[in-house]
Amino acid sequence: MLLLAFDPDSIGEPSEKQAAELAETSEMNLRYGYFGTRVSIAAAGFQPDELRVPLLDFAHCVLLAARAVSDGQPGRIGFTDSSMLIEFVPAGGELAVLRSWDPVPGSCVTAEFLESAYRFSVDALRSIAERYPAFRKNAYHGVLGGMIEAIDRAER
C-alpha cells in the first residue's frame, strides 16, 4: 500500500505578479516559489504523514525517484528547505520506504510506487494548469510532462 496525495484546496495562490509571469518564469521559481500545498505520504507499516511542500518541486523529486526505482536503483525525495529525506529502496519486487524523521519503515510494491508517482504528478500538473492555463506555456511544464511520459513507459 502506498499513498502519495496532495490537497488541491490547499495549493497556495500565486501573487498577481507571479501569475502574470507564469508562462515565462524560471524552473527554479516554479519549483520553489509557487504552489505550496499539503502532501500526504503513507506506506504499509506507517500512518500518513502530512507535509507542507512546494508542489512542483515535490512532483519533480517524485518523478526522479520513480526513474531511479524503475532502473533498479534507490529513489530519493529530498527537501530543499530541510534535511528531511524519503528513500525508496528496492528489495525484490518491493520497496522499503524510509523517512529520515521517523525510524519506522514502510513498504510498498514497486509497480504501485510507479503508478502512484505517475498519478500524483499528472494530477499536480493538471490541477495547476486548470487554474492557471498560462502554466502550460512555460518550458518547465514540458519538462515535467516528459518526465511523466518516461515513467508511463517504464510502467508498461
Side-chain angles (χ1 to χ4, degrees), residues 73-84:
Q73 302 296 315
R76 292 174 182 84
I77 298 173
F79 296 83
T80 303
D81 58 347
S82 76
S83 61
M84 293 185 342

Side-chain angles (χ1 to χ4, degrees), residues 81-141:
D81 58 347
S82 76
S83 61
M84 293 185 342
L85 181 68
I86 303 169
E87 293 184 278
F88 300 89
V89 181
E94 293 198 359
L95 299 172
V97 182
L98 309 171
R99 298 159 299 148
S100 63
W101 63 91
D102 191 335
V104 177
S107 65
C108 68
V109 175
T110 300
E112 184 178 31
F113 169 67
L114 294 174
E115 170 59 31
S116 293
Y118 175 83
R119 186 180 62 251
F120 179 91
S121 302
V122 166
D123 290 348
L125 258 61
R126 182 179 302 131
S127 180
I128 292 169
E130 285 175 354
R131 289 183 189 178
Y132 302 97
F135 174 57
R136 289 184 180 100
K137 296 177 185 172
N138 190 290
Y140 184 56
H141 182 274

Side-chain angles (χ1 to χ4, degrees), residues 8 13 18 36 39 41 45 50 53 66-67 71 92 96 98 134 137 147 149:
E13 300 292 328
Q18 286 177 318
V39 169
I41 181 168
E50 190 172 279
V53 299
R67 182 169 59 193
D71 289 339
L98 309 171
K137 296 177 185 172
M147 293 172 75
E149 286 177 20

Side-chain angles (χ1 to χ4, degrees), residues 9-68:
D9 293 333
S10 75
I11 296 174
E13 300 292 328
S15 69
E16 260 185 58
K17 182 179 182 205
Q18 286 177 318
E21 297 172 348
L22 199 51
E24 297 87 24
T25 196
S26 70
E27 174 182 331
M28 187 76 71
N29 283 343
L30 285 170
R31 283 182 66 176
Y32 307 114
Y34 286 69
F35 308 118
T37 193
R38 286 192 307 267
V39 169
S40 297
I41 181 168
F46 66 82
Q47 295 296 315
D49 274 325
E50 190 172 279
L51 310 165
R52 182 88 185 158
V53 299
L55 180 57
L56 292 175
D57 183 53
F58 193 81
H60 189 108
C61 292
V62 165
L63 289 165
L64 289 175
R67 182 169 59 193

